[in-house]
Amino acid sequence: MRNWDLVLPPSRPSALQLNRIRSRIQEIDRSASVAILGSTPEFRDLLFQCGFHEIYLLERNLDFLAAMSALRAYTNKEHVIEGDWLVTLPKLSGRFAAILSDLTSGNIPYEHRSLFYELIAGALLKGGLFCDKVLTHPIPHIPLPFLIDKYAELPLNLLYANHFSCEVLFCSDLLDIKEIVDSSQFYSILEDNVTHERVRAFIEYAKKITPLGCVWWYGRKWNDLQAGYCKQLIELGSADDETGSPYYGRLRFFEFARD
């Protein structure tokens, strides 16, 4: 991911999402430890701006951490816990007053999902908050021919290249092949089947946003995954993304608390 500066919401936190989190964390003691799953620069800036000082980053890729640090508005001390979440979270029992997560589920193979959310619950203090954003796929995937026709009529720019990445790679019926996003496979299929010059230009632009050689575990229906999602926590609220989002109807913001 060498061009993260080109990635736009909903693939990164939006103002709407950050405002939801800000509202939820306002009662947390500012001396408490809080954590971020990964290196999300918007979350790091938010927690620091809200007055937290014990901010932990759970990140396995220190090169990516450095790249995300360059995109921040603030510079402040942070605690970095390096390693795979499935390895590091069991060592952090009852540690955090809040854990923030942005589209992390796609990094976790389906067979480990229930364990992942169980470990998140275990890493929270009693009453601790978990704020998450999930691409849920509760509705049918979008037919690829429809999307090809759609983007054949849209202007080639950064906004619509991000929308193309979201809809074609993460929401189309390409997901029916293996119930995962395999970016190399998907680009190969697109290049073999798309002849429209404008859409082919979108394909090349999208590679800067969603590179070749990546796999995410997205595509399985939410009905098949929901039972293993945060079942140890109490749901405080949830909402869809804003109506202009390419993930509208599929993306959910969730807030949970540990009993």
Side-chain angles (χ1 to χ4, degrees):
M1 303 294 295
R2 294 190 173 93
N3 298 292
W4 196 253
D5 56 315
L6 301 181
V7 179
L8 301 177
S11 301
R12 290 173 63 171
S14 64
L16 172 66
Q17 180 183 359
L18 295 174
N19 286 335
R20 287 184 66 90
I21 295 171
R22 184 182 289 111
S23 176
R24 289 292 183 185
I25 64 176
Q26 62 183 348
E27 301 301 325
I28 297 177
D29 185 343
R30 274 13 187 194
S31 67
S33 295
V34 292
I36 298 166
L37 296 177
S39 306
T40 308
E42 294 89 343
F43 287 171
R44 295 158 69 186
D45 282 343
L46 174 67
L47 291 175
F48 178 70
Q49 191 172 16
C50 287
F52 292 96
H53 298 287
E54 294 299 314
I55 301 169
Y56 287 75
L57 310 180
L58 280 61
E59 175 62 73
R60 68 179 299 172
N61 187 331
L62 297 188
D63 289 336
F64 189 69
L65 168 61
M68 294 303 97
S69 297
L71 300 179
R72 291 195 55 199
Y74 300 100
T75 302
N76 58 283
K77 180 182 177 182
E78 298 168 308
H79 305 282
V80 179
I81 299 175
E82 183 183 2
D84 186 292
W85 296 323
L86 298 177
V87 175
T88 57
L89 282 168
K91 304 172 185 177
L92 299 167
S93 179
R95 186 74 169 270
F96 302 116
I99 298 175
L100 307 185
S101 161
D102 187 67
L103 293 173
T104 59
S105 65
N107 298 315
I108 307 297
Y110 296 123
E111 61 268 26
H112 299 317
R113 288 279 180 88
S114 293
L115 173 62
F116 176 55
Y117 293 111
E118 183 179 328
L119 293 175
I120 288 171
L124 290 170
L125 294 164
K126 183 177 177 61
L129 297 176
F130 177 50
C131 298
D132 196 15
K133 184 173 84 182
V134 184
L135 184 57
T136 60
H137 293 303
I139 55 180
H141 302 319
I142 309 170
L144 186 59
F146 170 85
L147 292 173
I148 291 172
D149 290 344
K150 173 180 177 177
Y151 284 92
E153 302 299 326
L154 290 175
L156 182 66
N157 59 38
L158 180 60
L159 174 64
Y160 290 117
N162 271 268
H163 284 204
F164 180 93
S165 173
C166 289
E167 292 194 302
V168 174
L169 300 180
F170 290 86
C171 296
S172 79
D173 53 13
L174 289 171
L175 295 170
D176 292 330
I177 298 171
K178 295 188 295 188
E179 293 188 319
I180 62 171
V181 175
D182 181 332
S183 64
S184 293
Q185 181 188 38
F186 287 5
Y187 284 127
S188 178
I189 293 169
L190 291 168
E191 289 164 355
D192 289 344
N193 290 278
V194 174
T195 58
H196 195 285
E197 194 169 349
R198 181 184 295 272
V199 181
R200 290 187 70 86
F202 269 115
I203 294 168
E204 293 307 310
Y205 206 155
K207 290 177 183 177
K208 299 178 181 179
I209 298 161
T210 306
L212 292 157
C214 296
V215 171
W216 289 273
W217 283 267
Y218 288 122
R220 190 166 291 181
K221 298 301 183 183
W222 185 235
N223 284 343
D224 297 330
L225 298 172
Q226 190 172 11
Y229 179 62
C230 294
K231 57 186 178 183
Q232 296 84 11
L233 299 173
I234 299 170
E235 185 176 328
L236 302 177
S238 68
D240 202 336
D241 202 3
E242 46 207 320
T243 54
S245 168
Y247 284 160
Y248 182 74
R250 293 174 168 81
L251 184 144
R252 300 292 294 178
F253 304 117
F254 289 102
E255 298 92 32
F256 296 92
R258 179 174 177 179
D259 191 6

